[in-house]
Amino acid sequence: AWMQEDGGEGLRRTLVTYRGLNRAWKKAKTVWNPTVHANNTTSNFVLMDFLDVPYSYVKTGIKVFTKKGREELRDIGEYGDLYGDMQRLGVLDNSLVTKELGFKSKTWADAYKDKILDQELVSPEDTIEGSARIAEKMWKLAKSPLNAVSWADRGLSEIYQREDQMFRIALYHHRLDKGMKNIVNLKGTAEYARALEKVKRGAAEEARRGFINYHIEAPAIQFMRETSNPFISYNYRIMPLLAETATLRPMKFA
């Protein structure tokens, strides 16, 4: 009778509220927990070893933490826009933060940038005035406790996501280098571009899978991670990786 009266709106609101609380609880156990940041990074180094990725490739992955580094990832020699290709191939948005915690990477500058960033300034006075407007906006946001919590949540979530992306980029770059050895003899031919795209897609698939692909469509898993077993996604994805390592690289597994 309750559902018939409001067309199910009450149930929808209840489920939305529940999901918000579920996500907040998950964040408390993950992105808000410094120990989990450390454990997650450590386990990803172990997975790198399982996947035969030399640790030197972390030098590529760590660039994702800075704007300058991300710009450098858009011009990686013969691979061109490595960062753009990874976005295009859906590698960077398969983490826990994006698929289960609803986080969309967006820094404060994206949301609150001032006209100072978009217009040509003709005098130092204009620069000072524009900077003051930005500072005023930031102060209005920061002085509210709720806004301060929101900022902290967004910052920690973005760091957690970058930690994940760092290893995916390292794996992707390594698999590109590995695949390139098989097509180097095609350089200068019409087939080269198609072969390179195939290598990129193969590398992207491994990068999505290798460090836990949280994009899961299985209805039972989706239901369990929203109810009785909130962290089942990790177990669901890590078990096949461990089984594969135990079979193909038993000494590493040991």
Side-chain angles (χ1 to χ4, degrees), residues 180-193:
M180 181 61 69
K181 296 177 182 177
N182 299 323
I183 66 171
V184 66
N185 60 318
L186 296 176
K187 282 187 176 181
T189 70
E191 297 179 18
Y192 179 72

Side-chain angles (χ1 to χ4, degrees), residues 87-152:
Q87 289 178 314
R88 172 175 63 88
L89 297 171
V91 176
L92 300 179
D93 291 321
N94 285 277
S95 66
L96 170 77
V97 180
T98 54
K99 293 301 180 184
E100 297 199 18
L101 303 184
F103 176 76
K104 294 182 180 179
S105 182
K106 194 178 182 85
T107 62
W108 71 267
D110 294 325
Y112 306 110
K113 65 179 180 179
D114 195 84
K115 293 293 184 182
I116 186 175
L117 302 178
D118 298 321
Q119 296 179 349
E120 292 185 4
L121 302 178
V122 295
S123 69
E125 290 77 12
D126 290 332
T127 304
I128 293 172
E129 182 182 352
S131 300
R133 289 198 298 272
I134 292 176
E136 183 182 7
K137 287 182 180 180
M138 292 178 67
W139 167 245
K140 286 180 179 178
L141 289 167
K143 68 180 182 180
S144 165
L146 288 178
N147 284 329
V149 170
S150 178
W151 272 30

